[in-house]
Amino acid sequence: MTDLLRWFSEPYGSSFMRNAGLVAVLIGILAPTVGVWVVLRRIAYLGDAMSHGTLSGVAAAYFAGINVAIGALCAGLLMGLLVALLERQRRVSQDSAIGVIETLLFAAGVLLISRNDRAGVDLTHFLFGQIVTADRSDLAVNAALTSVALMVVAVLFDDLRTITFDAPHARQVGVNVRALQLALIVLISITVVVSLDTVGLLMSVALLITPAATARLLTNRVETMTALAVVIGVSSALGGLTLSYHLATPPGPTIAVATVAWFTGAIAVGRPLGRFRHPMT
Amino acid sequence: MTPAAPPALRADGVTVHYGTHLALHEVSFEVGAGELVAVIGPNGAGKSTLLRALCGLVAHRGAVELAGHRCHHRRDRMGTAYIPQRADIDHGFPITVGQLALAGRRRFLRTGQRPGREHRRAAETALRRVGLAAEADRPLGALSGGQVQRAFLARALAQEARLLFLDEALSGVDQPRTEAMLDLFEALRRDGATLLVATHDLALARRRFARCLAINTRLVADGPPARALDNAALEATFGSALSPTR
């Protein structure tokens, strides 16, 4: 037992690893909380595409000399807007619209990076994450963004459930469905921004989707699903970070693998646990 | 002498296009408060479109008046409730029967406001009214087809909707539960609610409804079943494929 505790605590002796641990906890809370609605609304592909498309915003902000978080946020919003506009064409389905816009924004990001060799090196940090380089200012920004996003989810929780389950009814009782859809796009964008330091753009979807999808296997209540997803997210982020220290592996992919391990476990025990859930017809 | 009360619902020239497809053409009728009306027609005739248009869920031309007030904005129709057909309901969604009923109270709440005790009581009362008080904590997906429709009715009652539009509410429900549902519709009607029920079950419409609207893109017939479902009206509504004696 003592050995196990030492194994967990040893990496966090240094301040840079403590910062990394706190950043991991923040994304471990935020991404699954937002991810619950991404999973329930069945827009996992949009979440994945937004994480990739955000590269253009990160690259543009980098070259403009402004905070990359602002660039990432703008790119996420631009992606949501372009997908919505393209969807209005009756012959373009949502997944096709997402595929086209994701390609455009990701390619734009790669083209921008290719114009500057040094930038290419720096921007790979955002693609794959560099959690151990997170400093106090990164921590402060991520904590502020996470707090705002969690408050928004808490305030809109009932309305998110209503628009996800029955959007026509939501409209009828006065819920602004479009505003909530936009709010969700903003929340996904914020999640991607907070993921930049930890798992990076390419694997941010691991913490956005997998913990929520895992929790969905274990419960029939959104509140419980959110709590379980957060537990899975935080334990995957911290567990993955700790494991990466001991195995000398990159933290981002190790965290991503940890989330999938939870998912695999839930698939394995999902059937026995199903006995304790309310039956679904 | 007091003027006559305006009808609970008045549709005047309601027309709906989906792109270039004409789904509903110049449909006009009135329904008085406390009426139970069957909307009949073949698949694709525009029954669901009509109900959705009246609720403001589908863009339409023409006017809709509720209790004498012309509807201009969505909030003008908050006193109406549309109950979707079974195929349009996500039965796997993690929501309990109690949470569904409570969602009806949203029209009385501001964004982010949590429903208080009075709203919970209203939702419980609505669930009791439809006989689902004991099921409040069960997931919606665990209910039978008839119970799901009752749960949606509870949401409409919690919403304090006076005009209920039920889209194929009786499809896939067995005979005893269908009769129980119709008894409930009748009880709600006696309490002053107005119900429009889309169905393609002509025998049921004849037996349990005092008035039928026969729809096939346009309003083909309107009146008691003996008139709205006579041979000529049925042929005009369903075409020659349907035996008029059915």
Side-chain angles (χ1 to χ4, degrees), chain A residues 158-172:
Chain A
D158 286 345
D159 282 354
L160 282 169
R161 172 162 42 210
T162 305
I163 68 155
T164 304
F165 177 61
D166 190 349
H169 168 76
R171 278 190 199 98
Q172 224 173 355

Side-chain angles (χ1 to χ4, degrees), chain A residues 175-193:
Chain A
V175 178
N176 190 334
V177 174
R178 281 204 181 152
L180 276 167
Q181 287 168 338
L182 181 66
L184 193 56
I185 296 279
V186 173
L187 287 169
I188 297 171
S189 301
I190 290 175
T191 306
V192 172
V193 169

Side-chain angles (χ1 to χ4, degrees), chain B residues 143-193:
Chain B
L143 302 188
S144 68
Q147 284 178 315
V148 168
Q149 293 297 334
R150 281 172 180 269
F152 276 90
L153 262 179
R155 184 179 72 179
L157 297 179
Q159 188 188 327
E160 296 181 18
R162 303 304 292 159
L163 255 169
L164 310 182
F165 301 98
L166 297 103
D167 199 351
E168 300 287 356
L170 304 168
S171 292
V173 181
D174 62 29
Q175 188 63 27
R177 289 189 176 93
T178 295
E179 295 300 330
M181 280 284 280
L182 285 161
D183 291 343
L184 178 59
F185 294 170
E186 189 57 35
L188 294 174
R189 186 195 69 73
R190 281 198 300 273
D191 288 348

Side-chain angles (χ1 to χ4, degrees), chain A residues 52-91:
Chain A
H52 293 176
T54 300
L55 181 66
S56 58
V58 170
Y62 184 87
F63 287 118
I66 57 176
N67 192 317
V68 292
I70 295 169
L73 214 52
C74 291
L77 290 174
L78 179 66
M79 178 153 189
L81 185 72
L82 290 175
V83 168
L85 283 175
L86 208 53
E87 266 187 299
R88 290 192 175 184
Q89 304 294 316
R90 286 173 61 82
R91 293 169 69 183

Side-chain angles (χ1 to χ4, degrees), chain A residues 154 159 166 172 216 221 279 281, chain B residues 80 92 106 114 137 141-142 155:
Chain A
D159 282 354
D166 190 349
Q172 224 173 355
R216 184 68 192 96
R221 285 172 192 269
T281 51
Chain B
T80 67
R106 175 58 176 84
R114 292 267 178 249
D137 290 330
R155 184 179 72 179

